[in-house]
Amino acid sequence: MLTALRANIIAAPALGKLEITEYGYLVLQDGVTLGVFPTLPEIYKTAQIEDFGDALLLQSFADMHLHAPQFPMVGMGMDIPLLDWLNTYTFPLEAAFKDIEYARAVYTQLAATLINNGTTRVCMYGTIHTDATLLLMRILDDAGITGYVGKVNMDRNAPDYLCESTGESLRETLRWLGECERFRNIRPMLTPRFVPSCTGELMGGIGRLAAARGLYIQSHLSENRSEMAWVKELHPDCGQYWETYEKYGLWKDHTIMAHCVHSDARERAAMREHGVYMCHCADSNINLASGIAPVRAMLDEGLRVVLGSDIAGGSQLPMLSVCAQSIRASKMRRILTGWTEEILTPAEVYYLATSAGAQYFGGGTGFPVGEPLHALVLDDKGFSKTVRTGANPPTLAQRLERAMYLADSRHIAAVFSAGRRVK
Amino acid sequence: MLTALRANIIAAPALGKLEITEYGYLVLQDGVTLGVFPTLPEIYKTAQIEDFGDALLLQSFADMHLHAPQFPMVGMGMDIPLLDWLNTYTFPLEAAFKDIEYARAVYTQLAATLINNGTTRVCMYGTIHTDATLLLMRILDDAGITGYVGKVNMDRNAPDYLCESTGESLRETLRWLGECERFRNIRPMLTPRFVPSCTGELMGGIGRLAAARGLYIQSHLSENRSEMAWVKELHPDCGQYWETYEKYGLWKDHTIMAHCVHSDARERAAMREHGVYMCHCADSNINLASGIAPVRAMLDEGLRVVLGSDIAGGSQLPMLSVCAQSIRASKMRRILTGWTEEILTPAEVYYLATSAGAQYFGGGTGFPVGEPLHALVLDDKGFSKTVRTGANPPTLAQRLERAMYLADSRHIAAVFSAGRRVK
């Protein structure tokens, strides 16, 4: 079926670049993009047009690091640093996901909230619980979310109620992988929680599994100074945090490392050389007072940077808010570095929150021809109408910027994921 | 008429203290608070009860620094520092308020948005335009907002289209003051924009007017290093920024100084000694990369600290968001100071955003007996229901904390201002 969406179309073809088509057409064949056009080409004259008027048609978002079970504790208890926060709040909550009905209630609400806010791609952590993680994948898939989900592995330095034995962790991972074929757009990725939670034996087992089955890996890196010191104690043979992952075959192409707040030039070079993605979680890093990652340096050095909400260290699930918070964090770094470091621009964070994530999944940037559509329609008239009657009518780029600061799910009028309308 | 509101009542009687009455009663006689009670006292048995169930009954908010005419540019163009930002975005927009119909459109939307978000007290800037400022006061008053509004004075270093002569500025201020008696709950306060915008002659005239009529003053202080250097150039006889205000009789009890990002111990001591209020505008200071004010030191030193949204340097009008952002900013300072400075707690920012502002207007803290009610009802079931079915049911204090991060106007079910229901 030939259709066309009409609106002000804003694509992010490259870092810092916006491709703006004022009141143009995005033409689709069965949900697959045929192109973006300022006027409807003659050959598509028969397309059924959905006209969104003066609204913005944006790429939908990729949230590349978040903990599904922490959704109920968003905005709570962020008065203590990472390691205390995990023990006090996070671990007791994650243990509750042994109860599949509790998992169903939380994950259903999470999936709906993601879609409502225009997030259609994720790399997400579940818990250690295989069945709850499979349920999470089912719920996401049914809601129209795409991407990767991981059953968490942790076999040390966790409370008894949330700790697997090494053998159990590996066996359950195999059982889980065996059940993952059934989903349309959700795939598994291996998820050793972080170095302190995983023995070398477990990390080695996961590394071999990743190699044997061509699976991707997600974990955490250099988030907090105390965490880093602990990793150094646990692996005195490793010069830097990242080397502990490398030792066990986890440091490789498409591995996603969240945070990297304190990654120095050497660690960053290792990321670039191995095709490791850095997931920037600005709000989480602020909330837990971890610090601010050197994102500008990473971008200048050619690292692959993506963005994550990191709920519940982060307290904002909507990626538009994550965009604004990433800009604010870059201003913090500007302050921290005596105004020597350039801030992130709205165009840059829009790219990082959309195209950069899409590329992780093998997609192109912008609205790539031949790919199923990932998009959202943003109706900003509620907060931009007064501007129009006075001085300084906002440009489309400024309306995108304002949306990052002012829009919420009320303003997201439609969402398309993998070629299908899901809101 | 005797009424009682039933809900979970959370008051802020003192900095960092919460007074929580679980599912209690706030009893009112004609909108004036008679008391907060865990059970309804026998003498009030005839009260008509409005039951808000499991919702939170909070003190409503005081936004102690915001620029009404900048409402249309919230979330826009914050990529340049203060002085450039004023010239590029702010001044051209403020000039549009010569048009009374434009002013009406913007100010009506602003007043509605404030009430919708539970802000019932303000100290607010208009523009240089007397008639538009009077209209702003009328619209706020009709919407049920209380507090002070200022016609802005500026007679130098502004574009021609937004610059008064000294005589005109003073004459218009007198004309404006002559028209301010007509409002119920909105009063005038004198508003020299900031030192670079006002000649000594104008500042002196405003100072004499303040003394003669017992009027309060609001302005800006030590927000940005370039601004401070400029002030030093303009007033080489003054050792510090604040002394320029003192020179002209503007540095006195109840003067509100916004920002104070770079106020050192000497400037802070001068604030304390003279009863000057410091208005902390965390989001604005981040957005414009001005820095983070030393709020903890100020509180420890006994300064009077209040909070402001400072739109449009700040991009968040809802004071719940301002609370969360103030916490985040304190975490930034924690990072900046190598974890030596204590962060602001949710209880502290709740106090600063409510009781501290109420005190400025002569009110008491918490829900003071004998005062017309300022309150809001927060219905958080949309984001707290999943918590209840699993581990860690949140306390009422935690629900208040979560509201700062997660609530928006959708969750504010009712607002009371000066004893009257306004939402």
Side-chain angles (χ1 to χ4, degrees):
Chain A
M1 188 183 159
L2 192 68
T3 54
L5 309 178
R6 187 155 198 208
N8 295 301
I9 304 168
I10 307 184
L15 181 70
K17 293 244 182 325
L18 294 179
E19 202 162 76
I20 296 177
T21 310
E22 203 170 327
Y23 200 33
Y25 298 84
L26 191 155
V27 181
L28 300 160
Q29 178 70 53
D30 300 324
V32 173
T33 300
L34 297 178
V36 171
F37 309 97
T39 55
L40 193 63
E42 193 56 37
I43 49 165
Y44 301 137
K45 283 297 185 207
T46 60
Q48 188 180 316
I49 295 170
E50 185 159 14
D51 193 338
F52 292 103
D54 192 40
L56 307 181
L57 181 67
L58 306 177
Q59 295 175 233
S60 60
F61 295 107
D63 187 344
M64 302 298 282
H65 182 77
L66 75 165
H67 295 264
Q70 296 174 24
F71 183 57
M73 56 176 270
V74 169
M76 215 169 83
M78 298 168 297
D79 54 334
I80 43 179
L82 176 67
L83 300 176
D84 300 329
W85 176 82
L86 286 171
N87 287 311
T88 308
Y89 297 107
T90 315
F91 290 156
L93 176 59
E94 290 197 11
F97 288 76
K98 199 173 57 179
D99 173 357
I100 201 84
E101 289 313 315
Y102 180 61
R104 189 187 311 278
V106 171
Y107 292 158
T108 301
Q109 198 182 356
L110 171 63
T113 308
L114 285 166
I115 290 294
N116 256 328
N117 286 285
T119 298
T120 64
R121 291 175 164 112
V122 297
C123 283
M124 191 185 276
Y125 288 52
T127 56
I128 60 169
H129 312 98
T130 302
D131 295 327
T133 303
L134 288 166
L135 179 63
L136 170 60
M137 297 168 85
R138 162 58 56 215
I139 289 169
L140 293 174
D141 207 37
D142 288 349
I145 294 165
T146 71
Y148 297 110
V149 170
K151 173 218 163 322
V152 170
N153 300 102
M154 45 200 298
D155 69 342
R156 67 167 171 179
N157 293 318
D160 287 347
Y161 58 76
L162 200 68
C163 198
E164 309 163 295
S165 72
T166 308
E168 185 186 6
S169 188
L170 290 169
R171 275 193 308 277
E172 282 295 302
T173 301
L174 287 171
R175 178 167 83 84
W176 167 63
L177 290 171
E179 305 274 336
C180 284
E181 292 304 311
R182 64 177 90 157
F183 309 113
R184 187 168 37 177
N185 290 313
I186 297 287
R187 309 264 171 274
M189 80 189 296
L190 297 174
T191 308
R193 185 175 202 118
F194 73 148
V195 169
S197 297
C198 301
T199 60
E201 191 186 343
L202 179 56
M203 301 236 288
I206 293 169
R208 284 187 295 276
L209 197 53
R213 304 209 184 182
L215 294 166
Y216 295 154
I217 290 151
Q218 59 183 348
S219 197
H220 298 83
L221 183 71
S222 299
E223 176 175 1
N224 168 292
R225 298 270 186 211
S226 308
E227 170 215 18
M228 292 166 74
W230 194 12
V231 169
K232 183 79 197 157
E233 263 176 50
L234 293 167
H235 294 272
D237 55 317
C238 292
Q240 291 193 297
Y241 197 155
W242 69 275
E243 294 172 62
T244 61
Y245 291 115
E246 191 195 31
K247 188 160 87 174
Y248 298 106
L250 304 171
W251 190 257
K252 62 196 191 84
D253 183 65
H254 273 72
T255 290
I256 300 185
M257 285 289 157
H259 307 305
C260 310
V261 169
H262 305 287
S263 295
D264 65 6
R266 182 169 174 272
E267 190 160 271
R268 297 198 302 263
M271 298 184 79
R272 192 182 55 245
E273 282 157 25
H274 292 80
V276 169
Y277 276 72
M278 180 283 196
C279 186
H280 179 45
C281 304
D283 196 44
S284 173
N285 300 155
I286 296 169
N287 284 334
L288 299 179
S290 301
I292 310 286
V295 178
R296 175 59 64 200
M298 290 165 166
L299 291 172
D300 288 348
E301 293 161 4
L303 262 69
R304 297 158 152 192
V305 176
V306 289
L307 302 184
S309 69
D310 189 30
I311 62 160
S315 51
Q316 301 176 321
L317 189 66
M319 289 299 288
L320 280 168
S321 303
V322 169
C323 285
Q325 207 68 342
S326 301
I327 294 174
R328 289 191 182 97
S330 77
K331 290 172 175 174
M332 284 296 158
R333 262 199 84 88
R334 193 165 174 81
I335 296 169
L336 275 162
T337 60
W339 278 65
T340 57
E341 201 163 295
E342 289 302 314
I343 60 176
L344 294 176
T345 66
E348 285 176 328
V349 294
Y350 177 53
Y351 174 85
L352 296 176
T354 58
S355 294
Q359 285 184 306
Y360 180 85
F361 300 105
T365 64
F367 293 106
V369 172
E371 288 186 26
L373 182 66
H374 284 264
L376 64 88
V377 176
L378 194 131
D379 181 350
D380 61 346
K381 65 176 170 298
F383 55 83
S384 60
K385 68 182 173 190
T386 47
V387 186
R388 302 216 186 128
T389 58
N392 303 324
T395 62
L396 289 169
Q398 285 174 327
R399 285 170 60 190
L400 171 61
E401 179 183 5
R402 300 192 84 211
M404 293 176 183
Y405 292 93
L406 293 172
D408 58 43
S409 60
R410 283 172 286 197
H411 306 104
I412 298 185
V415 178
F416 300 84
S417 178
R420 181 164 81 91
R421 181 145 181 190
V422 293
K423 178 183 180 177
Chain B
M1 188 183 160
L2 192 68
T3 54
L5 309 179
R6 188 155 199 210
N8 295 301
I9 303 168
I10 306 184
L15 182 70
K17 293 243 183 323
L18 294 179
E19 203 163 75
I20 296 177
T21 311
E22 203 169 327
Y23 200 34
Y25 298 84
L26 192 154
V27 181
L28 300 160
Q29 178 70 55
D30 301 323
V32 172
T33 299
L34 296 177
V36 171
F37 309 97
T39 56
L40 193 64
E42 193 57 36
I43 49 164
Y44 301 135
K45 284 296 185 207
T46 60
Q48 187 180 315
I49 295 170
E50 185 160 13
D51 193 337
F52 291 102
D54 192 39
L56 308 180
L57 182 65
L58 306 178
Q59 294 176 232
S60 60
F61 295 107
D63 186 344
M64 301 300 280
H65 183 75
L66 75 163
H67 295 265
Q70 296 174 24
F71 183 57
M73 55 176 271
V74 169
M76 216 170 82
M78 297 168 299
D79 54 333
I80 43 179
L82 176 67
L83 300 176
D84 300 328
W85 176 82
L86 286 171
N87 286 312
T88 308
Y89 298 108
T90 314
F91 291 156
L93 177 59
E94 290 198 11
F97 287 76
K98 198 172 58 177
D99 174 357
I100 202 84
E101 289 314 314
Y102 181 61
R104 190 187 309 279
V106 171
Y107 291 159
T108 301
Q109 198 182 357
L110 171 63
T113 308
L114 285 166
I115 290 293
N116 256 329
N117 285 285
T119 298
T120 65
R121 289 175 165 113
V122 297
C123 283
M124 189 185 277
Y125 289 52
T127 55
I128 60 168
H129 311 98
T130 301
D131 295 328
T133 304
L134 286 167
L135 179 63
L136 170 60
M137 296 169 86
R138 162 58 55 215
I139 289 169
L140 293 174
D141 206 38
D142 288 349
I145 294 165
T146 71
Y148 297 110
V149 170
K151 173 218 163 322
V152 170
N153 300 103
M154 45 199 298
D155 69 342
R156 66 168 172 179
N157 294 319
D160 287 347
Y161 58 76
L162 201 68
C163 199
E164 309 164 297
S165 71
T166 308
E168 185 188 6
S169 189
L170 290 170
R171 275 194 308 278
E172 282 297 301
T173 300
L174 287 171
R175 177 166 85 83
W176 167 64
L177 289 172
E179 305 274 338
C180 284
E181 292 304 311
R182 64 177 90 155
F183 308 113
R184 186 167 39 174
N185 291 313
I186 296 287
R187 307 263 170 275
M189 79 188 297
L190 297 174
T191 308
R193 185 175 203 118
F194 73 147
V195 169
S197 298
C198 300
T199 60
E201 191 186 343
L202 179 57
M203 301 236 289
I206 294 169
R208 285 188 295 276
L209 196 53
R213 305 208 183 182
L215 293 167
Y216 294 155
I217 289 152
Q218 59 184 348
S219 197
H220 297 83
L221 184 71
S222 300
E223 176 176 0
N224 167 292
R225 297 273 186 208
S226 308
E227 170 215 18
M228 292 166 74
W230 194 13
V231 169
K232 183 79 198 160
E233 262 175 50
L234 292 168
H235 292 273
D237 56 316
C238 292
Q240 291 194 298
Y241 196 157
W242 69 275
E243 293 173 64
T244 61
Y245 291 116
E246 192 195 31
K247 189 161 87 175
Y248 299 106
L250 303 172
W251 190 256
K252 61 197 193 82
D253 183 64
H254 273 72
T255 290
I256 301 185
M257 286 290 156
H259 306 306
C260 310
V261 169
H262 304 287
S263 295
D264 66 5
R266 182 169 174 272
E267 189 159 272
R268 298 198 301 264
M271 298 184 78
R272 192 182 57 247
E273 283 157 25
H274 292 80
V276 168
Y277 277 71
M278 181 283 196
C279 186
H280 179 45
C281 304
D283 196 44
S284 173
N285 300 155
I286 296 168
N287 284 335
L288 298 179
S290 302
I292 310 286
V295 178
R296 176 59 64 200
M298 290 166 166
L299 292 172
D300 288 348
E301 293 161 3
L303 263 69
R304 297 158 152 192
V305 176
V306 290
L307 301 184
S309 68
D310 190 29
I311 61 159
S315 51
Q316 300 175 321
L317 189 66
M319 290 297 289
L320 281 167
S321 303
V322 169
C323 285
Q325 207 67 342
S326 302
I327 294 173
R328 290 191 181 98
S330 77
K331 289 171 175 173
M332 285 295 160
R333 262 198 85 87
R334 194 168 175 80
I335 295 168
L336 275 163
T337 59
W339 278 66
T340 57
E341 202 164 294
E342 289 301 313
I343 61 176
L344 294 176
T345 66
E348 286 176 328
V349 294
Y350 177 53
Y351 173 85
L352 296 176
T354 57
S355 294
Q359 286 184 305
Y360 181 85
F361 299 105
T365 64
F367 292 106
V369 172
E371 288 186 27
L373 182 65
H374 283 265
L376 64 89
V377 176
L378 194 131
D379 182 349
D380 62 346
K381 66 174 169 297
F383 55 83
S384 60
K385 69 183 171 189
T386 49
V387 187
R388 301 214 187 126
T389 58
N392 303 322
T395 62
L396 289 169
Q398 285 173 327
R399 286 170 60 190
L400 171 61
E401 179 184 6
R402 300 192 84 211
M404 294 176 183
Y405 292 93
L406 293 172
D408 58 43
S409 60
R410 284 172 285 197
H411 306 103
I412 298 186
V415 178
F416 300 84
S417 179
R420 179 164 83 89
R421 181 146 181 189
V422 292
K423 178 182 180 177

